[in-house]
Amino acid sequence: MFILVSEVGPRDGLQSIRRAMPTEAKIRWIGALAAAGLREIEVGSFVNPRKLPQMADATEVVRAALAIPGLTVMALAPNLRGAQAAAEAGVRKVTMPVSASNAHSLANIGVSTDRAIGQVGEVVAWRDTLPAGARPEIEIGISTAFGCTIEGPVAEDHVIDVAVRLAQAGADSVGLSDGVGTANPAQVKRLFTRLRAELGDKAGGAHLHNTRGQGLANVVAALDAGVTTFDASQGGIGGCPYSPGATGNIVTEDLVWMLEAMGLDTGVDLDRLAAARAILEEALPGEPVYGHLPDVGTEKGFRYAGGRAAVEGSGRAHRQGVPA
Amino acid sequence: MFILVSEVGPRDGLQSIRRAMPTEAKIRWIGALAAAGLREIEVGSFVNPRKLPQMADATEVVRAALAIPGLTVMALAPNLRGAQAAAEAGVRKVTMPVSASNAHSLANIGVSTDRAIGQVGEVVAWRDTLPAGARPEIEIGISTAFGCTIEGPVAEDHVIDVAVRLAQAGADSVGLSDGVGTANPAQVKRLFTRLRAELGDKAGGAHLHNTRGQGLANVVAALDAGVTTFDASQGGIGGCPYSPGATGNIVTEDLVWMLEAMGLDTGVDLDRLAAARAILEEALPGEPVYGHLPDVGTEKGFRYAGGRAAVEGSGRAHRQGVPA
């Protein structure tokens, strides 16, 4: 069985880091991630460059990524203007931020949840006017689906209601996001089970964080509910408002190891992933990166889901200047 | 539903740290762990004190722990002599190391797997000669049940065979242990399902490590298989042969947060657990301790399984000299 690991480091990760990765390094990093077997990468964000100067080169990065064969190039856009810029750059999938919590929606993108759903409808209507080959897919991961740092618990009925309205507004895929890192496995299984029952083919993937160490545990729960797409970021960069160790996104390296060990095919090679990590670490020296697999490597006898054997210690990161 | 969190830090954790925690601090720490609601604690190891000087005070620590009302005092003993010393000290549960991998068994305790099973039989036979109130339970967590650093993969049929032989030898409880940190959730679910089918009431708990970041994911898989007892160590200390971040045991704090958030009652209070962590950190200054929950605390609206609300940020560790 194939599980799609959707790499969000170049967008969600880099956007949380104050300094900008040079465009040239971004392009090299994205190339290395794709060479490792990642088939979908969120490469940038089409937002106001004064607000997020780290993403000011989104068009250039998208264009370079489009040259990589077989890669689905994804980008974030908060509204119609952003979606138009993304589509013009050639983005194949546009992800739009919609938060189940109204307070979070206002704080994050300056509009209410209702208005954000309305914007999705506007983007879909405009998208449908484009020629058939030029229409990007519109994908939503509902933020604060598992709880909100401002409002606290979010009613599950409300989350499902928002999801249904987004599907009705024409979104191609609606997933659930735990960007604040409060989700637990029981809740993840419950909500994705309901989402899939309500939305069928439009039910999307899981965007999970590791803020309380529960990231991969939530992956197991989501797999149980039938989820087959998971966002992750190399080195766990992104969305980390707390102290070291309190990582943000689930770590691509650890996720790939776990899925492959479980017999679930990701198409990703851990050694090539380590090579991509070296580019990230070199381009942002001193920036904290996370993950267990890069420290210890694969175990003796590890095999990829497809049966291919790995040398013991595969996927281990070899940091420059740091003895192994 | 109640889940037993069996705290192994004072044995498995401290035994992996070269310097010894002073006896007085051990006793204070164990008291604080029990005060946090942990009902079973592995407090020491009855082994050759020349090999493990950190455990030389096991008798004294056991006696102090026995004074704590309602606490199940557990200790490790590798053989009959150790089990006799443990029982004499008053230990209620003796855990014996048996490895499914013969090579690991030889490296770890100097005898083969077959001989280790034989030793369990000897201990049980001797134990049964004791007066009814003085008989400790004999508990095994089969090491390398999910793979071995020396032999590589371990056949699942062999693991189940070892488990059945241990139950036949008279062990009261036989669990599965991933001390080397290679287990994945699919394997954990499969093996515990078989173990419970074969051993019934004698099927024991899970001893899981977080070496590849998969510790809590494996807990979710074991819960799915019906496991209700989990070893963990405060701060994740123990069994960490690698670099920082590659933690050993699953972290008690993170496990308790996850279980309670899932609606599974552990009886443990996260704030009191943070107070116990302060004793650990003070007694072993500079020693790496792990865990996400102690960094970020509970989320807004967190409730214990029993319904009790916690203040946002509950369970966060307040390190001396480190600004929050």
Side-chain angles (χ1 to χ4, degrees):
Chain A
M1 185 174 163
F2 182 78
I3 300 290
L4 180 67
V5 176
S6 182
E7 171 65 42
V8 301
R11 198 281 301 173
D12 192 6
L14 293 186
Q15 133 176 352
S16 314
I17 295 171
R18 212 167 288 241
R19 49 189 172 147
M21 184 187 277
T23 306
E24 170 276 325
K26 280 190 193 179
I27 292 170
R28 248 187 324 129
W29 183 35
I30 290 165
L33 289 166
L38 291 158
R39 302 183 190 186
E40 178 171 293
I41 305 180
E42 199 178 338
V43 301
S45 195
F46 287 84
V47 289
N48 186 336
R50 269 170 305 186
K51 280 194 186 162
L52 276 178
Q54 308 96 308
M55 296 288 127
D57 57 3
T59 294
E60 195 178 343
V61 174
V62 165
R63 294 215 167 122
L66 286 170
I68 301 169
L71 180 67
T72 302
V73 178
M74 211 169 162
L76 183 136
N79 49 35
L80 181 59
R81 192 157 67 169
Q84 288 173 333
E88 198 177 324
V91 164
R92 300 262 301 277
K93 264 192 191 179
V94 172
T95 179
M96 294 184 67
V98 175
S99 181
S101 147
N102 200 54
H104 182 267
S105 187
L106 289 167
N108 190 38
I109 53 168
V111 300
S112 67
T113 300
D114 284 348
R115 178 74 196 108
I117 297 170
Q119 286 181 337
V120 170
E122 290 164 19
V123 167
V124 169
W126 165 78
R127 186 271 314 266
D128 290 346
T129 66
L130 296 176
R135 294 178 194 158
E137 280 183 49
I138 309 300
E139 186 169 299
I140 318 289
I142 300 178
S143 302
T144 64
F146 303 94
C148 171
T149 42
I150 307 166
E151 289 188 0
V154 174
E156 297 184 2
D157 286 347
H158 173 64
V159 174
I160 297 302
D161 179 56
V162 169
V164 168
R165 287 167 63 198
L166 285 164
Q168 287 168 348
D172 298 294
S173 162
V174 182
L176 302 176
S177 169
D178 180 35
V180 295
T182 63
N184 71 72
Q187 187 186 24
V188 165
K189 187 165 177 184
R190 225 163 37 226
L191 261 170
F192 272 104
T193 301
R194 283 188 67 181
L195 183 79
R196 291 169 56 80
E198 293 282 349
L199 264 57
D201 284 353
K202 285 199 172 190
H207 178 96
L208 299 166
H209 278 224
N210 198 34
T211 313
R212 288 172 175 83
Q214 86 282 39
L216 295 185
N218 284 340
V219 170
V220 172
L223 286 168
D224 266 357
V227 174
T228 57
T229 298
F230 292 91
D231 290 355
S233 77
Q234 180 152 54
I237 62 168
C240 173
Y242 300 107
S243 37
T247 63
N249 282 289
I250 55 171
V251 175
T252 305
E253 292 92 330
D254 293 354
L255 175 65
V256 166
W257 173 83
M258 185 179 87
L259 293 172
E260 293 285 343
M262 293 173 78
L264 298 167
D265 182 22
T266 65
V268 179
D269 179 272
L270 288 165
D271 288 313
R272 292 186 175 191
L273 208 49
R277 187 179 176 102
I279 297 173
L280 167 64
E281 295 193 338
E282 182 203 309
L284 291 174
E287 197 62 40
V289 286
Y290 305 99
H292 289 74
L293 197 276
D295 280 336
V296 301
T298 53
E299 71 280 15
K300 183 167 183 164
F302 172 84
R303 283 178 183 275
Y304 288 91
R308 183 163 60 92
V311 177
E312 191 179 348
S314 249
R316 189 182 288 183
H318 296 285
R319 295 203 181 78
Q320 294 182 324
V322 180
Chain B
M1 186 174 164
F2 182 78
I3 300 291
L4 181 66
V5 176
S6 182
E7 170 65 44
V8 302
R11 197 282 299 173
D12 192 3
L14 293 185
Q15 133 177 349
S16 313
I17 295 172
R18 211 166 288 241
R19 50 188 171 146
M21 185 186 279
T23 307
E24 169 276 328
K26 280 190 194 180
I27 293 170
R28 245 184 331 127
W29 182 35
I30 291 164
L33 289 166
L38 290 158
R39 301 182 191 187
E40 179 171 292
I41 305 180
E42 201 177 338
V43 302
S45 195
F46 286 84
V47 289
N48 186 333
R50 269 169 306 185
K51 281 194 185 162
L52 275 178
Q54 308 95 307
M55 296 288 126
D57 57 3
T59 295
E60 195 178 343
V61 173
V62 164
R63 293 214 168 123
L66 286 169
I68 300 169
L71 180 68
T72 302
V73 178
M74 212 168 161
L76 184 137
N79 49 35
L80 182 58
R81 192 157 67 169
Q84 288 172 334
E88 198 177 323
V91 163
R92 299 263 302 279
K93 266 193 191 177
V94 172
T95 180
M96 294 184 66
V98 175
S99 182
S101 148
N102 200 54
H104 182 267
S105 187
L106 289 166
N108 190 38
I109 54 169
V111 301
S112 68
T113 300
D114 285 348
R115 178 74 196 108
I117 297 170
Q119 286 182 337
V120 170
E122 289 165 18
V123 167
V124 169
W126 164 77
R127 186 271 314 265
D128 290 345
T129 66
L130 295 176
R135 293 177 196 160
E137 280 183 50
I138 309 300
E139 186 169 299
I140 318 289
I142 301 178
S143 302
T144 63
F146 303 94
C148 171
T149 43
I150 307 166
E151 290 188 1
V154 173
E156 297 185 1
D157 285 348
H158 173 64
V159 174
I160 297 301
D161 180 56
V162 169
V164 168
R165 288 166 63 198
L166 285 164
Q168 286 166 349
D172 298 293
S173 162
V174 182
L176 301 177
S177 171
D178 179 36
V180 295
T182 64
N184 71 71
Q187 188 186 24
V188 165
K189 187 167 177 181
R190 224 164 36 227
L191 262 170
F192 271 105
T193 301
R194 283 188 67 179
L195 182 79
R196 291 169 56 79
E198 292 283 349
L199 264 58
D201 284 352
K202 284 196 172 192
H207 178 98
L208 300 166
H209 278 223
N210 198 36
T211 312
R212 288 172 175 83
Q214 85 282 41
L216 295 186
N218 284 339
V219 170
V220 171
L223 286 169
D224 265 357
V227 174
T228 56
T229 298
F230 293 90
D231 291 354
S233 78
Q234 181 152 54
I237 61 169
C240 172
Y242 301 107
S243 38
T247 64
N249 283 288
I250 54 171
V251 175
T252 306
E253 290 92 331
D254 293 354
L255 176 65
V256 167
W257 174 82
M258 186 179 85
L259 293 172
E260 294 284 343
M262 292 174 78
L264 299 167
D265 183 22
T266 65
V268 179
D269 178 274
L270 289 165
D271 288 312
R272 291 185 176 191
L273 208 49
R277 187 178 176 105
I279 296 173
L280 167 64
E281 295 193 337
E282 181 203 309
L284 291 173
E287 197 63 37
V289 286
Y290 305 99
H292 289 74
L293 196 275
D295 280 336
V296 301
T298 53
E299 72 280 16
K300 182 167 184 165
F302 173 84
R303 284 178 182 275
Y304 288 92
R308 183 163 59 92
V311 177
E312 190 179 348
S314 250
R316 188 182 289 183
H318 295 284
R319 297 203 180 80
Q320 293 181 327
V322 180

